[in-house]
Amino acid sequence: MNFRTELIISPSDFKLSHYDKILTIGSCFTENIGLKLEKSGFQTDINPFGILYNPLSVASAIETLISRKLFSQDDIFEYQGKYHSFSHHSKFSASTPDECLKNINEKITFSSGYLHKTSLLIVTFGTSYIYKLKETDQLVSNCHKLPANHFLYQRLDINEIVSAWDQLLYSLSEINPEIKILMTVSPIRHWKDGAHENQISKSILLLAIEELSQKYPFIRYFPAYEIVLDDLRDYRFYAEDMLHPSSSAVDYIWEKFGQTYFSAETIKEVKKYQEIRQALDHKPFNPDSEEYKSFLSQKTLQLNDFVKKYREDYL
């Protein structure tokens, strides 16, 4: 008897290799997949604005990268001794405006160039709910713990999401005709919205992605949301907060991701890279021994050869 509904995903019509540049953007689920890719030797740029939850914030961030628009002092604000951007995660915040702008603009400059060469853009939507600054009606990606009365809180509908992404997708295909986009919905539950409201929110995201993927042939959908809710479907696959997937759930999603998008050759190269990294990360009993120094030199050379093979900008 089968007591589980395993989600079987058809192999993708395109395969990733270590020659590909991958950019991830969106909710913290993209951080999980991005780090897995990075630790497997892939060229990866992870969340250049930090974690973003809603489709409009993600679209705005990508538009900034396309236009290479740098931020000025008019785009940041001071709150409780730190300077912040409403478009960025707090990891870009700093104690001086110059440092804050340096953090933001250095990343925009790098990621804008990277986007123009990206093979695969992985986008994850977390929620259909958005915040807007009451005073200016500005879209807010991160509230930076300002009081709630500064913001309007509203839910997007499907048409608003599709409309925002229509022009963006056209612009993306203009600057990078070879780009492929992999869209996902985060399995993280936004419980503060309420159980029913969270389900409506996720449904809006799923329907918007379905409409976009039917209109644009370079969009694919990866069912991370369904893997957690329908395949794993058990609280032991959630972290202690019962909202985020556990590390074993993330590992399982990663396994499914690899089965879908990696060729047999890529799987071999992932294993090779991970073995080299594991050897380099190993804590030796006697780090000063000649034997260990020789081992370290050999593994470092193997790592450099791996990177040199796949990265045209390697120095």
Side-chain angles (χ1 to χ4, degrees), residues 80-288:
Q80 292 187 340
K82 278 198 160 188
Y83 288 84
H84 312 272
S85 159
F86 280 128
S87 301
H88 290 77
H89 187 268
S90 57
K91 72 178 184 180
F92 290 90
S93 301
S95 55
T96 67
D98 288 345
E99 187 182 357
C100 180
L101 289 171
K102 180 174 180 286
N103 294 341
I104 289 168
N105 288 332
E106 283 185 353
K107 189 60 179 170
I108 288 174
T109 300
F110 173 82
S111 297
S112 176
Y114 195 93
L115 178 63
H116 285 67
K117 301 175 183 177
T118 291
S119 310
L120 181 67
L121 175 64
I122 301 177
V123 175
T124 301
F125 297 154
T127 178
S128 302
Y129 286 92
I130 62 169
Y131 288 92
K132 285 188 175 180
L133 198 61
K134 281 183 181 178
E135 188 177 349
T136 62
D137 205 38
Q138 176 188 349
L139 176 69
V140 173
S141 301
N142 193 305
C143 296
H144 298 290
K145 299 184 179 178
L146 269 72
N149 61 9
H150 284 67
F151 307 101
L152 295 170
Y153 187 56
Q154 60 193 67
R155 190 175 68 210
L156 299 168
D157 62 34
I158 298 166
N159 290 334
E160 287 175 299
I161 297 170
V162 172
S163 176
W165 276 79
D166 263 328
Q167 182 58 45
L168 174 63
L169 291 167
Y170 175 78
S171 300
L172 267 174
S173 62
E174 286 272 288
I175 66 152
N176 188 345
E178 302 302 316
I179 197 169
K180 290 183 173 59
I181 300 175
L182 185 62
M183 288 190 157
T184 65
V185 171
S186 171
I188 296 165
R189 300 152 74 203
H190 288 251
W191 202 247
K192 64 184 177 66
D193 297 329
H196 180 61
E197 290 79 2
N198 174 67
Q199 291 293 74
I200 293 173
S201 170
K202 299 289 187 183
S203 299
I204 290 169
L205 299 177
L206 290 165
L207 288 167
I209 290 173
E210 174 69 11
E211 189 167 331
L212 289 168
S213 62
Q214 288 179 355
K215 292 177 71 172
Y216 298 94
F218 51 87
I219 291 179
R220 303 292 186 276
Y221 176 71
F222 179 70
Y225 178 77
E226 292 83 352
I227 288 171
V228 175
L229 268 73
D230 295 318
D231 186 337
L232 298 180
R233 205 200 305 175
D234 192 301
Y235 272 110
R236 66 198 165 107
F237 295 111
Y238 283 88
E240 287 185 7
D241 64 3
M242 297 300 166
L243 303 175
H244 289 73
S246 68
S247 58
S248 57
V250 173
D251 288 344
Y252 182 71
I253 295 168
W254 169 248
E255 183 182 320
K256 290 285 190 182
F257 183 91
Q259 290 170 358
T260 307
Y261 298 106
F262 296 165
S263 66
E265 179 62 26
T266 299
I267 291 170
K268 279 171 54 180
E269 292 296 273
V270 166
K271 185 179 179 183
K272 181 197 296 185
Y273 182 87
Q274 289 176 341
E275 286 175 350
I276 296 169
R277 286 290 351 162
Q278 188 176 8
L280 286 170
D281 293 340
H282 176 69
K283 302 296 183 192
F285 179 72
N286 185 1
D288 297 321

Side-chain angles (χ1 to χ4, degrees), residues 27-55:
S27 88
C28 43
F29 177 72
T30 58
E31 300 259 323
N32 292 328
I33 287 294
L35 287 170
K36 290 285 189 184
L37 286 162
E38 191 174 76
K39 290 177 179 178
S40 299
F42 289 92
Q43 303 174 73
T44 313
D45 187 14
I46 304 170
N47 267 351
F49 286 70
I51 294 167
L52 304 172
Y53 294 102
N54 72 79

